[in-house]
Amino acid sequence: MKTESKPVYLKLRDEIAAAILDGRFSEGDLLPSVRAFAAQQGANPLTVAKAYQLFQDSGLVDVKRGVGLFVAQDAVERLRKTERDHFIKNVWPEVRDQMRRAGITPIMCCGESLQTEPFAFDDQPFVVPVGQQIMQHRPERRRGFVNSGERSGS
């Protein structure tokens, strides 16, 4: 779903999730009050309350009556999984297709870092076509690129 077409409460939810994932709020931190966040975002407090309710319903925050909402201990891990799943299912296919149509390769996007840094995605091998070779990284092997069927470093 494109950001422009999202309801405001979902945009606010995404803003809070990004703040947690970016480390602006750590696990155990107090989130801003509904009124404070509404004022900061220029939103209606009822809309912010609806966004916060999504976090409560999914167990990403702990509620302490009279005190506020605190980021739950496993919130970062769970949010990261949700973001990853959303990206793979909803964003990546369109990006991949656009790259293919434009003739863009992963090397063009990421430069030499793909050849020198381990590159894995969700503990799955990442395959990058490089000229006539296929470079593959297996996450369980820190230095283990596979070129044309041969293993290197171990």
Side-chain angles (χ1 to χ4, degrees):
M1 178 182 268
K2 301 253 187 255
T3 303
E4 299 83 36
S5 64
K6 276 188 178 182
V8 174
Y9 77 97
L10 290 177
K11 290 179 185 179
L12 294 170
R13 183 243 177 240
D14 291 348
E15 178 68 28
I16 298 161
I20 293 169
L21 288 170
D22 292 343
R24 288 179 274 160
F25 295 107
S26 298
E27 294 175 347
D29 282 356
L30 176 66
L31 290 177
S33 70
V34 168
R35 289 184 186 188
F37 192 64
Q40 178 187 12
Q41 297 296 316
N44 184 314
L46 294 174
T47 305
V48 171
K50 189 172 183 178
Y52 274 12
Q53 186 65 47
L54 294 174
F55 282 93
Q56 287 179 284
D57 293 345
S58 57
L60 295 168
V61 294
D62 298 322
V63 181
K64 294 187 181 174
R65 288 236 179 256
V67 180
L69 299 174
F70 293 82
V71 179
Q73 289 304 313
D74 61 347
V76 172
E77 180 182 325
R78 291 173 55 203
L79 281 170
R80 189 161 285 127
K81 182 184 180 333
T82 300
E83 290 287 317
R84 187 172 37 243
D85 291 347
H86 171 75
F87 180 83
I88 290 171
K89 291 176 186 170
N90 302 306
V91 178
W92 175 247
E94 186 176 329
V95 170
R96 182 196 59 223
D97 293 345
Q98 287 179 331
M99 288 174 65
R100 188 178 5 215
R101 285 191 294 271
I104 299 171
T105 66
I107 293 296
M108 293 168 82
C109 293
C110 302
E112 297 298 315
S113 66
L114 285 176
Q115 294 179 12
T116 59
E117 298 174 13
F119 195 85
F121 191 77
D122 199 22
D123 295 331
Q124 299 298 313
F126 182 78
V127 178
V128 182
V130 181
Q132 299 294 2
Q133 296 180 339
I134 298 293
M135 293 182 67
Q136 184 178 31
H137 172 68
R138 298 189 185 280
E140 66 276 3
R141 301 188 62 185
R142 294 293 297 160
R143 297 173 36 217
F145 277 100
V146 179
N147 293 325
S148 303
E150 295 178 14
R151 292 189 185 262
S152 65
S154 177

